[in-house]
Amino acid sequence: MIDLRQADLNDAAELARIEVDSCRAFDKIFTPAYMASHNTFENRFLYWMNLLTRDVDRTYLIVADGAAVGFVTLGYPRDEDAPAGTLQLINLYLRTSAIGKGYGAYVMRRLFTSVKTAGYDRLLLWVLKDNDRAIAFYRHFGFDFDGLEITLPIHGAILECRMSRSL
């Protein structure tokens, strides 16, 4: 059985472990120095403690048969050009051992239903241009590039592209 449960401060360590594990997929995108200094349990734990304390966005643990296999975060768009009625899929991370087992698909279907029911009609997200697996996943669920790109000043220029979809 798969379920989503809103994360709280007690989940910060679990969220950090999931993110560090999941971000190993970025080893070919980011430099080893960046990964070694930023993709650590300590950094991610402090990030989650800060984020969950501020209660800015909504993060949900993806729980399968009682074990956390990933998380998803939704929030209001930070982009000034985002139309009214839009939410942002801020992140969707799965443990590497959980990839390909249908958890991401379950989350996307559930998000589409709950976001639409809550009165929103568009989702947007940002994805690393070199993250082919994530791009293919989001395209499968109807997201497409909308033309906006930004360069992240992270140990060299890393390009991030915005994708969106109507609900």
Side-chain angles (χ1 to χ4, degrees), residues 6 8 10 15 19 48 70 84 89 91 95 123-124 127 135 152 156 162 165:
Q6 189 168 343
D8 61 31
N10 295 320
L15 292 164
E19 188 170 2
W48 283 109
L89 174 58
N91 52 45
R95 293 185 188 279
L123 272 174
L124 66 82
V127 63
I135 291 168
L152 303 174
R162 191 171 73 182
R165 101 175 274 265

Side-chain angles (χ1 to χ4, degrees), residues 46-163:
L46 292 174
Y47 168 82
W48 283 109
M49 288 297 290
N50 182 5
L51 190 70
L52 294 168
T53 300
R54 291 184 302 133
D55 196 33
V56 175
D57 302 312
R58 292 287 179 257
T59 298
Y60 301 89
L61 279 170
I62 305 163
V63 179
D65 299 322
V69 297
F71 63 87
V72 61
T73 303
L74 285 172
Y76 295 110
R78 276 85 167 159
D79 305 328
E80 293 178 8
D81 69 332
T86 302
L87 280 182
Q88 182 171 337
L89 174 58
I90 296 169
N91 52 45
L92 171 57
Y93 286 109
L94 294 173
R95 293 185 188 279
T96 54
S97 62
I99 293 172
K101 296 187 177 180
Y103 302 125
Y106 169 84
V107 168
M108 294 307 287
R109 288 189 300 271
R110 184 130 172 229
L111 283 180
F112 295 156
T113 300
S114 61
V115 167
K116 183 74 173 167
T117 300
Y120 296 92
D121 57 12
R122 176 167 286 292
L123 272 174
L124 66 82
L125 60 90
W126 287 90
V127 63
L128 297 171
K129 185 175 184 177
D130 294 331
N131 192 345
D132 296 331
R133 175 182 239 153
I135 291 168
F137 175 81
Y138 293 126
R139 281 188 186 271
H140 176 78
F141 285 96
F143 287 87
D144 208 356
F145 292 108
D146 64 13
L148 197 56
E149 297 180 345
I150 58 172
T151 301
L152 303 174
I154 300 174
H155 293 268
I158 303 291
L159 193 60
E160 198 172 34
C161 305
R162 191 171 73 182
M163 300 179 83

Side-chain angles (χ1 to χ4, degrees), residues 13-72:
E14 190 67 17
L15 292 164
R17 283 190 285 275
I18 292 167
E19 188 170 2
V20 168
D21 176 59
S22 178
C23 285
R24 290 188 183 125
F26 300 144
D27 283 346
K28 292 184 176 38
I29 297 173
F30 295 113
T31 66
Y34 178 83
M35 292 300 288
S37 65
H38 288 82
N39 192 38
T40 67
F41 173 81
E42 293 78 14
N43 282 348
R44 302 325 303 157
F45 177 74
L46 292 174
Y47 168 82
W48 283 109
M49 288 297 290
N50 182 5
L51 190 70
L52 294 168
T53 300
R54 291 184 302 133
D55 196 33
V56 175
D57 302 312
R58 292 287 179 257
T59 298
Y60 301 89
L61 279 170
I62 305 163
V63 179
D65 299 322
V69 297
F71 63 87
V72 61

